[in-house]
Amino acid sequence: MKWDYEFDVVVIGSGNGALTSAICSHDGGAKTLVIEKSTQFGGTSATSGGGVWIPNNRYAKAENVDDSDQDARDYINSVSPEGKIKDELVETYLSEGPKMIDYLHDNTQVKYRNLQHYPDYFPDNPGGKAGNRSMEPEPIKGTELGDDLKKLREQHPQTAFTMGPINMNFTQVEGQLLLGALPGWKSLFAKLFTKYILDIPMRLRWGWKDRRLTMGNAGVARLILSLKDRNVDLWTETAMTDLINENGAVIGIKATKNNVEINIKANKGVILASGGFEKDQGLRDQYLPKPTNIEWSAANTYNTGDALKAALKLGADTHQMDTGWWSTVMKVPGQDKGWLSMVDKSMPGNFTVNKNGERFSNESQNYVSFVNDMFDKYAEGNPCAPCYMVFDSKFRKNRPCGPLLQSSMQPDSAVPREWWTPSFLSKGETLEELAEVAGIDVNGLLATQAKVNSYAATGKDLDLHRGDSVYDRYYGDPSVTPNPCLAPLQTGPFYCMVLYPGEMGTAGGLVIDTNARVLNKEGKSIPGLYACGNCSTALLPTYPGPGSTLGPAMTFGYLAAKDITGSNF
């Protein structure tokens, strides 16, 4: 074998899991390389909310919260599918996750802040909490990256304020106010926008980029800066095409770098962290529940299952291949990615129906569970995929809905003409007219309106219990009573936004052990091969809290580095 490059550890991908493993591999004494096949680093992590769900982390402990490993264990067990998650993986996560955060906090530029009021997604379950288990990255100035700022993948439009060329960032805490148009949002928006628009040096140098990085961008930027501090190599436009093995042990990779085929030796190990397979329609058709369409995905365009395909050739085992990090999405005309719909349908003043005009799931519950309901009911014959979010002129005036800003900021006359299509956005002066335009059964829609309006008056959703949970109410409006998640739909014109069953990423993948080693179908590790993140099988498939993907990705990236280097940090 002719080797063009030689390293101790080669990391495939550049999201949170990949970058954490690279930092820790370097700190363990290994000469480390990170490769990213696109022109921008950060993967899905950079476009996400950046949250990291790790119970009993240092930031929560600093606020003396009421939590314990036993509470976290009880909670995870109560929400996890029985028999699917190995107890030793959960135990490892609970013990090693906080240590990983401690290590990054003490030794790198990676810093988080506690999310005191962001609840677990099933807070009423045994061990569930109303906050203090998730963290979000401390904001950071993008200019600290220097020229590498242009290589940072942009936030998903759903996690920033975008209008025309304007791209203004906000934190998760700020987003709760802004995306829900809750009391205080106008003064917060004015403060952020004034600072953004008057940053003349940034406008002159970087156009409409925001100097202040938040959410996923802040998390990835802090990891990248920590790698730069260590002079670790990070190559963009370098794609792994295959794993190189010798007598069953992985010793390197084949890749293309700037369209040139190369062989890279990995003396100690290869860490797969290149995301899921959501952008490969063939794999979607093979594994994911129906209906499934690559066009509905909100994920990174480059997540085509490279790690999965290469590892399967070596006999790697897989698990939970039919699972995903689901969210309803809007298919905005002219945009390649699906637009995540996580907050808007949770707010009071709307309801979501199937083709028959009937509600089928609690709109204010967490987004993964809502889409799971879509798939389950669709399989039973319920025409709920796609589904239809219906709202009236009062909601339209006061609240944003996906890319559609509230009419006080974006009146109907300013909505792009191409948006007015039954596959995205419809309008009718009456509900009957809306039903005809959108293709919804009118009698079912009118019956649902009557029910929801009565539930809004009493505060009790007798059908789907919307607003009963602490999580439901997190994205509700406390000024709306008696139920912050329910308000009547009364005043025309009426509107409809079409929602599709999409995802942020797939959640099934390679089976790993407690050291993040990839296992074959006999349960034995494949020497030299490790995995973390969405190319490995989900540790927390029901998504128990905000950041349930990044937490395990970073923890098992850290554990992979420890095992490879023999370190005990």
Side-chain angles (χ1 to χ4, degrees), residues 147-166:
D147 287 341
D148 280 342
L149 179 57
K150 64 178 178 290
K151 289 187 176 182
L152 177 64
R153 190 170 303 286
E154 298 84 0
Q155 283 286 157
H156 193 284
Q158 193 264 339
T159 57
F161 174 80
T162 58
M163 186 174 184
I166 294 173

Side-chain angles (χ1 to χ4, degrees), residues 496-516:
C496 170
M497 214 30 120
V498 183
L499 304 180
Y500 300 88
E503 78 290 316
M504 301 164 282
T506 50
L510 305 172
V511 176
I512 58 175
D513 66 10
T514 55
N515 291 306

